[in-house]
């Protein structure tokens, strides 16, 4: 989960397609996989995120921005 990952001083973050994931060519280069835990709303569990939402969440986590 993204909340338990130590921030690296440098690296590359690769985002995969929701249905296909990361390509077979890139997958062997991945050193650590990140996941964003599913959220819930008043209507139930959130099923998926589009990639732009996932990027915003991951960058927020890595930049240490506190919106509270």
């Amino acid at each position: 989960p993204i909340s338990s990952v130590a921030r690296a001083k440098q690296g590359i973050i690769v985002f995969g397609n929701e249905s296909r994931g990361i390509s077979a060519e890139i997958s062997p280069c991945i050193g650590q996989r990140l996941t964003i835990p599913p959220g819930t709303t008043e209507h139930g569990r959130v099923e998926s995120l589009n990639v732009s939402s996932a990027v915003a969440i991951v960058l927020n986590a890595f930049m240490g921005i506190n919106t509270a």
Side-chain angles (χ1 to χ4, degrees), residues 9-50:
K9 292 187 185 245
Q10 60 183 348
I12 297 172
I13 302 172
V14 176
F15 292 86
N17 177 287
E18 181 183 0
S19 62
R20 296 185 202 119
I22 297 168
S23 72
E25 295 84 14
I26 301 292
S27 193
C29 301
I30 305 298
Q32 184 172 16
R33 293 187 181 263
L34 304 175
T35 59
I36 300 170
T40 58
T41 69
E42 61 189 45
H43 303 291
R45 186 175 163 194
V46 175
E47 299 264 333
S48 65
L49 294 172
N50 66 34

